[in-house]
Structure formats: structure tokens, C-alpha cells
Amino acid sequence: MHVYDGDYVKADTEWEELCWIRERTDAPKGCRVEIVDGLVTVTPLATVRHHLIAAQVHRCLYQAVPENWGVHQWWDIAVPERLALLVPDLVVVREDFRFADDGLCPAAAAELVVEITSKATASRDRTAKPAACAMGSVPLYLLIDGRAPGGPAFTLHGAPENGVYRVLESGRFGEPIKLPAPFDLVIDTGEFPQS
């Protein structure tokens, strides 16, 4: 990649160009800058409810993961073949993974991605992001959808094959989320804050 006068780039690939644009995107503090389906997006700040759900799930996951795994909020994961650089609400990553040559965490290092919908992200969280995670071979994608059309719900996607997930479990807030091995964890959605 060649940068000219700091403002112009000649990239060898579309992925390199998108990463260059993302790095130079000026967004307010606390906003997320992601690449979703080849588009650089800026997501506004999440609500308090959103953060409370993320904190509750984070605590549950932290108690269940193996010792050499980490639970992280807003950790960039890259799926270059899908032109996606996602910043999930939560990601469980094996701590012994190797960063890619570009310094990004490859999606294949993630064991679980958790997205909590917001007004700005609901559509992408339900479609483009699980598609990217499936293509990146992330074993599990948990969507906590407080904005689902039929009322607050969750969907656990897994068993990615040829870039497509199967739905392993789904339910409404109030029902438990049962994460399979290696987590063997039940998350009580009845404790999630409502509206």
C-alpha cells in the first residue's frame, strides 16, 4: 500500500483500503467504527440498558471460560474475506491466538461473539454480522435482541458451515440461554433490564 501526501492511498486490495479508511475515520469518543459488508460505519453510543446487559453477560462468561481464554468488550475481529472488521459487544477469545500480519485479531480466534441490538445496529446485528462471523468460523454467535419485532428475544447461532449458521436455540427474555460446551453455562435473561 502506498500513501500519498497523507490523504490518498493506492492499496493492493479493497481490504487494505477499507482498513486505511477506518483508521482515519474521526468518530466521537465511545462510538464504534466498524467495517460491515465493505462499508465503514460509525455506531453511536449505547444506552445504559445495553451496557447493563453487556456487563451481566460479561460476568457470567468470565466465570465459565477456560483459564487461557479472555472475555473482552469491543475487541476488533477481522473477516477480510467478507470485508468485515467487527467490534462486537463481547467476544471470547483464546489468549494464545496469533495476530494477523496486519495486527488485527482474526475471527477464527474467537470462540463466541455476543451482540446486543440497539436502534442503530439491530439490522446489521441480525444479518450481516452473523454472516461475517459464520464465514470467519466463529463457533457461536449470540444475539441478544431487546428490539426484536415480537418482543425482547435471544438467538444462539452455531455450527457454521459454508459461511452459514444454524440456529441452536432461541427464546424470549425471561427464558434461560444455554451455552453449550466448552462454556456449559446458563444465562438468566429474566434479570436483563426491561426498556
Side-chain angles (χ1 to χ4, degrees), residues 3-23:
V3 179
Y4 301 99
D5 296 327
D7 290 331
Y8 300 97
V9 64
K10 180 174 179 178
D12 295 328
T13 66
E14 187 175 7
W15 174 249
E16 287 179 351
E17 181 180 357
L18 287 167
C19 288
W20 184 83
I21 293 168
R22 178 185 181 260
E23 287 174 18

Side-chain angles (χ1 to χ4, degrees), residues 26 145 161 189:
D26 189 23
D145 194 350
E161 190 172 317
T189 65

Side-chain angles (χ1 to χ4, degrees), residues 120-131:
T121 67
S123 177
R124 291 189 307 258
D125 292 345
R126 294 176 190 138
T127 58
K129 289 183 179 183

Side-chain angles (χ1 to χ4, degrees), residues 56-71 92-93 111-112 140 177-187:
Q56 181 181 343
V57 174
H58 191 151
R59 280 191 301 275
C60 291
L61 289 170
Y62 188 75
Q63 295 173 4
V65 298
E67 190 172 311
N68 61 337
W69 292 12
V71 181
V92 177
V93 178
E111 296 294 332
L112 168 69
L140 297 169
I177 300 170
K178 297 175 194 124
L179 294 180
F183 298 96
D184 294 321
L185 172 67
V186 175
I187 299 171

Side-chain angles (χ1 to χ4, degrees), residues 44-183:
L45 299 170
T47 64
V48 170
R49 179 175 172 267
H50 185 110
H51 288 292
L52 291 172
I53 292 172
Q56 181 181 343
V57 174
H58 191 151
R59 280 191 301 275
C60 291
L61 289 170
Y62 188 75
Q63 295 173 4
V65 298
E67 190 172 311
N68 61 337
W69 292 12
V71 181
H72 305 278
Q73 293 187 26
W74 291 21
W75 186 307
D76 299 357
I77 59 171
V79 189
E81 61 273 24
R82 178 75 187 212
L83 295 179
L85 182 59
L86 308 177
V87 186
D89 290 302
L90 295 165
V91 62
V92 177
V93 178
R94 296 183 312 272
E95 301 259 325
D96 60 352
F97 74 92
R98 295 176 55 100
F99 281 100
D101 291 340
D102 54 12
L104 298 172
C105 178
E111 296 294 332
L112 168 69
V113 165
V114 179
E115 285 290 1
I116 303 163
T117 59
S118 65
K119 186 176 180 180
T121 67
S123 177
R124 291 189 307 258
D125 292 345
R126 294 176 190 138
T127 58
K129 289 183 179 183
C133 288
M135 184 173 280
S137 299
V138 177
L140 297 169
Y141 179 92
L142 175 59
L143 176 66
I144 299 174
D145 194 350
R147 299 180 163 280
F154 66 87
T155 306
L156 178 63
H157 303 271
E161 190 172 317
N162 298 321
V164 178
Y165 279 125
R166 287 186 310 128
V167 173
L168 301 181
E169 181 181 5
S170 63
R172 300 267 172 227
F173 280 21
E175 298 173 24
I177 300 170
K178 297 175 194 124
L179 294 180
F183 298 96

